Amino acid sequence: MTGPRRRPEENMTASAPATPPHRRRSRAHHAARRQAGPGSFGPAQLAAALPDALRKLDPRVLLSSPVIFVVWTGSVLTTVFSFADPGDWFGWTISAWLWLTVVFANLAEAVAEGRGKAQADTLRQARTDTVARKADGSVVPGTELRVGDLVVCEAGDVIPGDGDVAEGVASVDESAITGESAPVIRESGGDRSAVTGGTRVLSDRIVVRITTRPGETFIDRMIGLVEGAARQKTPNEIALNILLASLTIVFLLACATLAPFAAYAGTRLTLVVLVALLVCLIPTTIGALLSAIGIAGMDRLVRRNVLAMSGRAVEAAGDVSTLLLDKTGTITLGNRRAAGFVPVPGGTEAEVAEAALLSSLADETPEGRSIVSLAEDAYGLGDRYRERPEGARWIAFSAQTRMSGVDLAGRRVRKGAADAVTAWVGRLGGQVCEELREPVERIATAGGTPLLVAVEDEHGARVLGVIHLKDVVKPGMSERFAELRRMGIRTIMITGDNRMTAEAIAREAGVDDFLAEATPEDKMTLIKQEQAAGKLVAMTGDGTNDAPALAQADVGVAMNSGTSAAKEAGNMVDLDSDPTKLIEVVEIGKQLLITRGALTTFSVANDVAKYFAIIPALFAAVHPGLEKLNVMRLASPDSAILSAVVFNALVIVALVPLALRGVAYRPAGADRMLRRNLAVYGLGGLVAPFAGIKLIDLLLSLFPGL
Amino acid sequence: MGPVTAGVLQALALLGALALVYVPLGDHMARVYSSARHLRVERWIYRAVGADPDTRMRWPAYLRALLAFSLAGVVLLYVLQRLQGVLPGSLGFASVPPPQAFNTAASFVTNTDWQSYAGEQTLGHVVQTGGLAVQNFVSAAVGMAVAIALVRGFAHTRTAELGNFWADLVRGVVRVLLPLAVVAALVLAACGVVQNFAGVHEVGQFTGGARQWDGGAVASQEAIKVLGTNGGGYFNANSAHPFENPTPFTNLFQVFLLLVIPVALTRTFGVLAGSVRQGYAILAATAVIWAGFLALMTWTEFAHREGALRIAGGALEGKEVRFGVAGSALFAVSTTLTSTGAVDSAHSSYTGLGGGIALLGMALGEIAPGGAGSGLYGMLIMAVIAVFLAGLMVGRTPEYLGKKIGPREIKQAALYLLVTPALVLVLTALSMALPTPRHSMLNPGAHGFTEVLYAFTSAANNNGSAFAGLDANTDWFNTTTGLAMLLGRFLPIVFVLALAGSLAGRRPTPVTAGTLRTEKPLFAGLLVGTILIVGALTYVPALALGPLAEGLAR
């Protein structure tokens, strides 16, 4: 389709459902399967991730996380120091716990990555080495295809690479990538032309023009993404890393300079003690969990069947302040439904209903079926046409005529767009009743679509009345939009409908604004306008026409059912092709940032308690007054330091589930969210270690000789 | 009326006076820095130095002008001291030796006013008035210019320009500091502060006998000493000297003067940033920290009720009887929470915890309310850090005043945070580890350690107050504190201007319900928490071995 997309009439009949009706149920089923799989977290997963965690002890790997690298260096130092003084059980114990701290940090990352690995393995099975039959008859391995090659795929073939259907129509099984068992239709031209390498043709024959080089296909990228191999640090992650690194340097200085200070005070601090203090003070908790949080955020999207092409896009989703939502499929149910029949003056509703029913009997579009069921149920015409009239010639909808109907013996019935039907009646010498203008306009103003019904019989050609087709707003949408408004996000409905229609639906759905009679250019202008005002824009799209806008938007979610141009332009792909999911994407983006902030705050706040544990332990011997700071009444200096180190290590493991799951997110304004998270993670971070360190100290004091 | 009640009333009177001038002075400064007009006298100055006050400068140009100007100041002041012996009007004093001349030049150009010399025994009228007093004006104006440049970074959109350094500098002196200093000097002189060139005064001593003192332009220098948060006294005893600070009223007036510009700058910030409420939030955080420190200081100085302290009604040692414990505590807290460093009592003689409070006030970076200009930009850096943490917790890329805080911005803020702790801790550690510097310590144990820690904290944070009890006029301390002052002043300025430059180029994000509201009390509270935790955590081990060990010993 070119030009303005989804004109009401085109939409009415041209859009056969891309997937059969049982699809929704199967998606729910599928989602449940994925949730139950890698979504859970337990000791078994920790154990499974252990080998990976140990492999990550390589300092070259650790360099990307400055905080953990410092802990690693400290562990090496204390271990060496312990070898020099093998009788010192304290040095050995501290060394052991420092190594554990590094392992726990690696474990967090390994667990997060492990969840993606399972998915990647499934995908790899789809990427089997295929043989491509090129259109010129030659047969080459799939890995030797070049962009622009034409390949032929018939029923049973696995499509050898990403491309667009150049010729033909086929049903394709895409379950390898979407997990969706129901087949989808792929056809040349239009917005459903993209096919993905690794999917299987179930019926018919298509010629595919290859658009991606082998090794860079969608499945390859998916594997890279879910495995975290393609992971790059996002701007926000980089900023946080800088802050953490600077805190680490500050504490490094504080600990390094403490040695001469203590020497002056008359006590010698061992390297083990200084390293222990350092590791307790630097933000190890967030340092250990930072990359796991990022990977888990991507993974949460993957489990909702959304693929983000970069972490940057996920982050941007949290910042989005304007959502562009396509009316059809997102705000309203995909299809309009018949809501009533309006007769011309002097006619009856039943007359209109019967004609409408007749014209729609063979109309398999959802709109057509809704006309049939309304006529049958509300006007008692249920039995009359159980059997289709004999000798009828069914007129299907076409983009040229923009009408459909039936020719019976001595009677022709048509329904369709107002101007098309008017013209048809005029051609047959009939008069169009002027009084119809009023109901037609009324229906349009109310957001409906008026379809004219006309007959030509022995009384000549005339219009009988109007069918009122109505958009049905999905249940719960206005609550959803109110929620978004509280989060500070403006929703704009995009529709090809005229202004009046758009306004009525916008009002009913509760969106903040709308763009009527939208062309792709309008959409682009709107996005640029919003961005010029400093806003971040998210949108969904599927057609080739959408590609520029998808690329311009800060978050562009392409539907998997769409063209490869759209999928290439967007920075996310929704495998379920469910535009409503944009809202969830925003929430996941926010949750990712909140989790980072909450754990950073928690980590920094922890330092207060650690000082209260370690400072008296180090110096009460030379400055007895400092014993007053031992508010936790820890048993001995050694056990105090050890308790702080153990707490510091264990808190990482304790917070792994939170890092993977994300902080509980409830949509609310910024003020409420900040108050809540500060109370939980700020105050919690201050208080929790006091309790934790005391508890560990109590347990340690059970060991004799400590 | 008991001494505590009197102290509370003094503090309330001070707050009342600050409240009265807050809006007019803040608005005046906002107009001064955003006006397009040049005064005639300013034009003369621009012509004399050959500067174009209308060029819009990006941050590197702004920084270059600032550094060139300050370097010239250091060289000029150094040469002036080295030539004192041959200059007229020097009261017969010899030239200052090189290490001390370097130290003093660095000290006054950086708005620190650390003094390793005794004014009345070292410097004549030329250096005092022609050198030091001039730097008292311009070093404060430099600080204010940097603060204004940072505010412009937040307020400007998509232009990387921060204004004109020369215009900001000259206006700060001509339209803000000079008029206020004239009024303040008149008030001080009227209340008994010395202002003459009449030669030697003979003054009877409390302990019997008499002592000779030279007069000088004391009142005028005193005014800018506190107004510009400089702190360099005409006499060694600084504001404890009766010629500088004769009465409890002048004492309170001096505290008012050293707070007034940094406090009013929060208003200027609000006006220029387009939301006075943003300024109030910063002011609120400032006020909470200042009031908390004052309450703690007053409590610890009054609370010690054993032996001599009990008889005196508080820790009166080292404090002037005419100011009492409360007046001294008020001065000590205000001078260390600003970058003034003038003293009206010996901080070394405070209780262990009291000395620690003064030390911590400086260690936090002197931002509540901080020095003239430097307080505001230090506070805004902390606000950027606080916003970064809190902003994440509302699920958005953090933003402050509509500007996103990305990797570049955090890098500058983080580097800013690193400078002073690094200087203080490394230089203190070197002084403790090397054999010679320790000879300067006049006290043993924790107190001696505090003396050294205090000296470097004061120098690196450009405070300039001395703890007393440390002989700082050695080559080691003259050199190291001199370096600490220069690096502690100009490195942070580099990072602030770089931050301002990168903010100015950013497009503002509009406010929505999802925006973190930085003008709300919740954020002010968070800012206080961030300052206390991020700022203080660095120093806790060192503080434990100094003031905490001493203060908790009893």
Side-chain angles (χ1 to χ4, degrees):
Chain A
M1 271 178 239
T2 53
R5 293 182 41 236
R6 293 204 171 135
R7 280 277 162 79
E9 275 314 297
E10 286 171 344
N11 204 23
M12 185 184 97
T13 22
S15 64
T19 48
H22 63 269
R23 168 190 166 138
R24 196 159 288 276
R25 183 184 50 80
S26 95
R27 182 194 308 152
H29 172 74
H30 159 72
R33 173 170 65 83
R34 285 219 177 157
Q35 290 283 356
S40 56
F41 170 75
Q45 269 184 311
L46 280 181
L50 197 59
D52 269 338
L54 293 175
R55 220 168 292 139
K56 283 172 191 278
L57 283 175
D58 183 342
R60 285 165 301 180
V61 178
L62 288 173
L63 263 178
S64 64
S65 166
V67 182
I68 300 306
F69 182 72
V70 168
V71 181
W72 181 87
T73 314
S75 316
V76 172
L77 286 176
T78 55
T79 309
V80 171
F81 191 83
S82 299
F83 272 110
D85 183 10
D88 176 23
W89 67 268
F90 180 73
W92 286 114
T93 321
I94 293 285
S95 305
W97 277 99
L98 294 184
W99 282 115
L100 277 180
T101 310
V102 182
V103 171
F104 289 163
N106 292 344
L107 208 53
E109 198 181 70
V111 170
E113 285 171 354
R115 284 143 56 107
K117 286 225 172 69
Q119 233 144 0
D121 291 342
T122 322
L123 288 171
R124 274 211 187 83
Q125 289 167 7
R127 202 190 53 175
T128 47
D129 293 326
T130 48
V131 174
R133 269 186 298 136
K134 295 185 36 176
D136 57 20
S138 60
V139 175
V140 296
T143 48
E144 280 177 22
L145 284 173
R146 294 288 166 268
V147 174
D149 283 355
L150 290 172
V151 288
V152 179
C153 300
E154 288 179 341
D157 288 352
V158 172
I159 299 173
D162 293 1
D164 283 320
V165 179
E167 199 185 308
V169 179
S171 65
V172 178
D173 171 14
E174 294 195 338
S175 62
I177 50 166
T178 61
E180 175 74 49
S181 53
V184 292
I185 303 293
R186 292 286 176 253
E187 61 190 356
S188 63
D191 288 348
R192 295 195 310 276
S193 61
V195 288
T196 310
T199 56
R200 185 178 296 273
V201 177
L202 291 181
S203 68
D204 305 293
R205 172 184 183 274
I206 47 175
V207 177
V208 175
R209 178 177 290 109
I210 298 296
T211 55
T212 318
R213 270 178 300 196
E216 291 170 21
T217 61
F218 190 65
I219 284 206
D220 290 314
R221 277 192 294 164
M222 252 181 99
I223 292 171
L225 282 166
V226 294
E227 277 193 328
R231 218 176 90 79
Q232 284 179 326
K233 285 204 174 96
T234 61
N236 178 262
E237 216 175 334
I238 292 169
L240 188 52
N241 249 325
I242 292 172
L243 187 64
L244 297 181
S246 81
L247 286 176
T248 306
I249 296 171
V250 163
F251 286 120
L252 201 60
L253 286 171
C255 292
T257 55
L258 198 54
F261 297 170
Y264 167 77
T267 174
R268 231 190 108 254
L269 296 182
T270 62
L271 185 81
V272 172
V273 162
L274 283 174
V275 170
L277 176 63
L278 175 65
V279 169
C280 285
L281 293 180
I282 59 178
T284 45
T285 315
I286 180 67
L289 298 174
L290 190 55
S291 66
I293 294 170
I295 298 169
M298 298 277 272
D299 187 55
R300 273 198 294 283
L301 276 178
V302 169
R303 273 184 288 130
R304 283 174 179 76
N305 263 356
V306 177
L307 282 185
M309 294 304 160
S310 70
R312 192 187 279 256
V314 186
E315 222 163 65
D319 282 353
V320 159
S321 42
T322 307
L323 281 189
L324 304 191
L325 299 169
D326 275 328
K327 184 199 77 175
T328 311
T330 312
I331 294 171
T332 59
L333 294 172
N335 311 298
R336 278 159 291 211
R337 300 182 64 80
F341 302 106
V342 183
V344 290
T348 66
E349 282 180 34
E351 245 177 356
V352 184
E354 191 190 349
L357 175 63
L358 261 178
S359 69
S360 306
L361 277 175
D363 185 349
E364 282 303 316
T365 65
E367 288 89 348
R369 285 201 299 271
S370 81
I371 293 171
V372 172
S373 66
L374 180 72
E376 287 180 348
D377 299 345
Y379 295 89
L381 303 173
D383 301 326
R384 198 175 301 179
Y385 296 104
R386 270 289 137 78
E387 300 293 318
R388 288 192 180 175
E390 272 174 40
R393 199 169 70 83
W394 304 102
I395 313 292
F397 177 89
S398 84
Q400 280 74 44
T401 60
R402 291 190 295 146
M403 290 186 298
S404 60
V406 62
D407 289 351
L408 300 169
R411 195 174 177 205
R412 299 160 76 187
V413 187
R414 291 289 184 279
K415 72 166 193 294
D419 51 348
V421 173
T422 309
W424 181 74
V425 172
R427 263 200 316 278
L428 296 174
Q431 283 290 314
V432 178
C433 177
E434 276 302 307
E435 281 92 339
L436 264 179
R437 199 176 292 277
E438 189 268 326
V440 164
E441 264 171 27
R442 185 166 43 78
I443 290 168
T445 318
T449 308
L451 288 188
L452 258 48
V453 184
V455 293
E456 195 229 353
D457 54 14
E458 63 273 21
H459 305 295
R462 65 194 185 280
V463 175
L464 288 179
V466 188
I467 307 171
H468 183 174
L469 281 184
K470 208 175 151 184
D471 266 312
V472 182
V473 174
K474 284 186 182 174
M477 285 319 278
S478 68
E479 287 80 13
R480 210 81 200 262
F481 294 138
E483 204 171 73
L484 286 169
R485 208 168 296 125
R486 279 197 298 279
M487 287 157 57
I489 296 171
R490 212 159 71 92
T491 44
I492 302 181
M493 182 182 86
I494 309 289
T495 170
D497 293 346
N498 65 46
R499 221 191 130 67
M500 283 187 301
T501 313
E503 193 175 354
I505 297 168
R507 206 181 309 117
E508 189 182 344
V511 293
D512 297 310
D513 207 347
F514 63 90
L515 182 66
E517 290 168 352
T519 62
E521 293 75 35
D522 292 342
K523 229 173 180 175
M524 193 71 173
T525 316
L526 178 66
I527 293 174
K528 284 185 175 159
Q529 255 171 23
E530 293 283 313
Q531 287 174 334
K535 292 175 181 167
L536 263 63
V537 181
M539 68 169 283
T540 58
D542 52 6
T544 303
N545 287 336
D546 288 331
L550 278 171
Q552 177 72 29
D554 301 280
V555 177
V557 183
M559 301 293 106
N560 189 47
S561 60
T563 59
S564 46
K567 280 155 80 173
E568 204 57 51
N571 45 20
M572 293 190 195
V573 175
D574 179 12
L575 300 177
D576 293 339
S577 307
D578 170 14
T580 320
K581 221 183 264 171
L582 195 52
I583 298 172
E584 280 173 63
V585 170
V586 169
E587 290 186 354
I588 290 172
K590 283 194 180 295
Q591 195 186 27
L592 174 70
L593 292 174
I594 293 174
T595 308
R596 249 182 229 154
L599 290 181
T600 307
T601 310
F602 184 86
S603 192
V604 174
N606 268 343
D607 280 3
V608 175
K610 290 170 185 166
Y611 268 135
F612 276 99
I614 296 181
I615 293 292
L618 294 184
F619 301 126
V622 282
H623 291 302
L626 292 177
E627 184 58 26
K628 286 177 194 159
L629 294 180
N630 185 5
V631 290
M632 287 172 270
R633 308 252 70 91
L634 303 178
S636 72
D638 282 354
S639 82
I641 297 169
L642 189 54
S643 303
V645 171
V646 171
F647 174 83
N648 195 53
L650 290 183
V651 83
I652 296 174
V653 181
L655 290 175
V656 167
L658 184 70
L660 296 185
R661 190 165 17 94
V663 163
Y665 174 76
R666 252 170 274 134
D671 280 342
R672 278 189 49 200
M673 223 161 359
L674 179 61
R675 192 166 295 126
R676 181 178 166 277
N677 289 326
L678 263 185
V680 176
Y681 299 98
L683 289 182
L686 280 177
V687 176
F690 279 102
I693 291 174
K694 176 68 187 169
L695 195 69
I696 294 168
D697 181 71
L698 282 175
L699 289 175
L700 285 177
S701 63
L702 295 178
F703 289 94
L706 269 168
Chain B
M1 186 165 66
V4 179
T5 324
V8 172
L9 287 177
Q10 270 191 46
L12 289 178
L14 176 67
L15 289 179
L18 286 171
L20 275 181
V21 298
Y22 179 71
V23 172
L25 180 57
D27 288 356
H28 170 68
M29 287 192 283
R31 276 193 303 274
V32 165
Y33 287 108
S34 48
S35 150
R37 219 166 48 85
H38 304 295
L39 300 182
R40 188 174 302 160
V41 60
E42 292 169 351
R43 283 216 191 83
W44 293 340
I45 299 172
Y46 299 136
R47 217 168 298 147
V49 300
D52 176 6
D54 293 313
T55 339
R56 306 268 124 226
M57 293 177 171
R58 287 163 174 261
W59 79 265
Y62 202 98
L63 178 68
R64 271 197 304 275
L66 186 152
L67 289 180
F69 176 76
S70 300
L71 179 68
V74 173
V75 171
L76 195 71
L77 207 48
Y78 179 81
V79 171
L80 212 53
Q81 290 177 84
R82 296 291 294 131
L83 295 179
Q84 176 167 259
V86 296
L87 289 174
S90 298
L91 303 174
F93 291 126
S95 298
V96 184
Q100 192 168 35
F102 160 70
N103 184 278
T104 306
S107 170
F108 277 77
V109 172
T110 58
N111 197 248
T112 311
D113 295 29
W114 168 266
Q115 294 165 296
S116 72
Y117 61 91
E120 63 272 29
Q121 293 157 20
T122 319
L123 300 179
H125 294 312
V126 176
V127 177
Q128 286 268 23
T129 311
L132 304 187
V134 169
Q135 278 303 329
N136 276 352
F137 278 96
V138 293
S139 68
V142 165
M144 290 158 70
V146 174
I148 295 297
L150 177 57
V151 175
R152 288 194 189 118
F154 280 111
H156 285 186
T157 54
R158 310 184 82 172
T159 69
E161 288 152 357
L162 299 178
N164 183 290
F165 171 71
W166 302 110
D168 291 343
L169 173 73
V170 170
R171 286 176 184 190
V173 173
V174 172
R175 300 195 208 177
V176 180
L177 292 168
L178 259 178
L180 290 178
V182 168
V183 176
L186 288 175
V187 173
L188 287 170
C191 294
V193 179
V194 172
Q195 178 81 2
N196 61 41
F197 293 101
V200 179
H201 299 250
E202 191 158 295
V203 181
Q205 303 252 90
F206 181 68
T207 47
R211 196 171 159 189
Q212 296 186 330
W213 293 92
D214 284 307
V218 180
S220 54
Q221 191 158 330
E222 197 66 14
I224 191 62
K225 173 187 102 176
V226 278
L227 191 62
T229 63
N230 292 287
Y234 206 92
F235 303 108
N236 191 33
N238 209 301
S239 282
H241 196 291
F243 282 10
E244 287 197 20
N245 189 9
T247 65
F249 172 74
T250 55
N251 189 56
L252 191 60
F253 185 59
Q254 291 196 359
V255 175
F256 167 79
L257 288 177
L258 62 86
L259 291 172
V260 70
I261 287 184
V263 166
L265 270 175
T266 61
R267 167 83 186 183
T268 311
F269 157 68
V271 172
L272 293 180
S275 157
V276 290
R277 295 182 61 197
Q278 298 284 357
Y280 291 146
I282 296 290
L283 179 68
T286 299
V288 166
I289 293 176
W290 180 82
F293 270 60
L294 179 61
L296 274 177
M297 183 68 107
T298 309
W299 167 76
T300 170
E301 293 307 289
F302 274 117
H304 283 70
R305 299 245 159 166
E306 298 154 10
L309 301 183
R310 184 191 173 96
I311 297 162
L316 208 50
E317 182 201 310
K319 299 188 176 79
E320 292 293 308
V321 182
R322 64 183 186 283
F323 308 136
V325 170
S328 303
L330 179 62
F331 201 109
V333 163
S334 303
T335 200
T336 48
L337 277 175
T338 60
S339 77
T340 313
V343 288
D344 76 345
S345 49
H347 290 180
S348 173
S349 298
Y350 278 59
T351 61
L353 292 179
I357 292 167
L359 184 52
L360 183 63
M362 297 186 297
L364 288 185
E366 292 164 1
I367 50 179
S374 62
L376 180 61
Y377 65 67
M379 191 59 136
L380 292 178
I381 295 278
M382 289 312 297
V384 165
I385 300 285
V387 154
F388 187 74
L389 293 177
L392 286 178
M393 279 193 285
V394 303
R396 299 236 310 203
T397 300
E399 65 205 45
Y400 186 49
L401 301 172
K403 295 297 180 76
K404 285 224 159 73
I405 308 297
R408 260 185 312 167
E409 287 76 16
I410 278 294
K411 190 170 85 195
Q412 308 301 347
L415 286 171
Y416 179 100
L417 286 184
L418 272 179
V419 175
T420 45
L423 288 171
V424 171
L425 292 172
V426 171
L427 290 173
T428 309
L430 284 175
S431 300
M432 300 315 290
L434 295 172
T436 7
R438 275 158 61 172
H439 297 315
S440 287
M441 290 159 49
L442 305 183
N443 291 86
H447 198 77
F449 174 67
T450 310
E451 288 164 1
V452 179
L453 181 64
Y454 193 103
F456 286 110
T457 309
S458 174
N461 285 290
N462 298 138
N463 185 276
S465 70
F467 198 53
L470 182 78
D471 174 19
N473 188 18
T474 63
D475 287 354
W476 168 261
F477 280 103
N478 272 329
T479 313
T480 49
T481 54
L483 286 174
M485 289 186 279
L486 288 173
L487 295 176
R489 172 74 162 182
F490 293 109
L491 280 183
I493 285 181
V494 171
F495 302 133
V496 168
L497 289 178
L499 171 67
S502 100
L503 286 171
R506 281 203 182 253
R507 195 163 48 189
T509 313
V511 173
T512 67
T515 309
L516 170 72
R517 306 301 288 271
T518 48
E519 74 278 21
K520 294 279 182 73
L522 183 64
F523 179 73
L526 180 79
L527 182 53
V528 171
T530 310
I531 291 166
L532 292 180
I533 291 186
V534 175
L537 281 182
T538 323
Y539 292 98
V540 168
L543 289 174
L545 287 171
L548 278 178
E550 194 188 346
L552 295 174
R554 264 168 267 218

